Amino acid sequence: MEKRCEDFCFETRDLIDLQIFSAKEWDELMLRSVVPKLGVSLRDDFQVNPRKQDMVPLKDWVLPWFDLLRSSTFSQLLEVNFFPKWLDILYIWLVQPNFKADEVANW
């Protein structure tokens, strides 16, 4: 899936460069067809696990879309689907009586 996503993103950038879609049409297409799937990927496929973090869903499936979405849309996607998970795990880690600050910082 990783290679297909990268290929699609590059092909999509070409469509933007050719100005096939107006900005409004592009935003509507992304909000209707892509952003919901990226949200599902972050919710269902990306798990926050400091011991064995798998970054594939974030790095290879979601981040390639960064340049193709409005920054406000992309930040909302992360705000809703990534940061709550990350903050929950960080909180659990920090309230442990014997947590090691250097491990948290390295993570």
Side-chain angles (χ1 to χ4, degrees):
M1 179 169 176
E2 170 187 339
K3 187 64 175 163
R4 289 185 300 173
C5 180
E6 281 181 22
D7 291 344
F8 181 77
C9 286
F10 287 122
E11 291 168 10
T12 305
R13 284 187 188 101
D14 293 340
L15 293 176
I16 294 170
D17 292 341
L18 294 173
Q19 298 180 347
I20 292 174
F21 295 104
S22 70
K24 181 181 178 191
E25 292 169 329
W26 180 256
D27 289 342
E28 289 172 356
L29 176 66
M30 293 297 101
L31 288 172
R32 184 180 61 247
S33 302
V34 174
V35 173
K37 289 176 177 48
L38 295 176
V40 167
S41 178
L42 283 174
R43 263 191 321 276
D44 296 349
D45 300 323
F46 182 74
Q47 302 301 318
V48 178
N49 182 352
R51 293 178 191 212
K52 187 179 179 192
Q53 186 62 61
D54 178 14
M55 296 297 289
V56 169
L58 180 64
K59 283 178 54 180
D60 296 342
W61 303 345
V62 176
L63 290 181
W65 290 93
F66 176 76
D67 291 332
L68 300 172
L69 300 172
R70 287 187 182 270
S71 58
S72 59
T73 301
F74 198 82
S75 27
Q76 184 177 14
L77 177 71
L78 294 179
E79 184 180 328
V80 170
N81 298 292
F82 170 78
F83 284 110
K85 286 179 165 186
W86 183 76
L87 289 171
D88 286 346
I89 297 301
L90 183 61
Y91 174 79
I92 291 168
W93 201 357
L94 292 176
V95 297
Q96 299 301 313
N98 57 352
F99 88 94
K100 297 178 181 168
D102 59 326
E103 287 179 358
V104 175
N106 288 334
W107 176 61

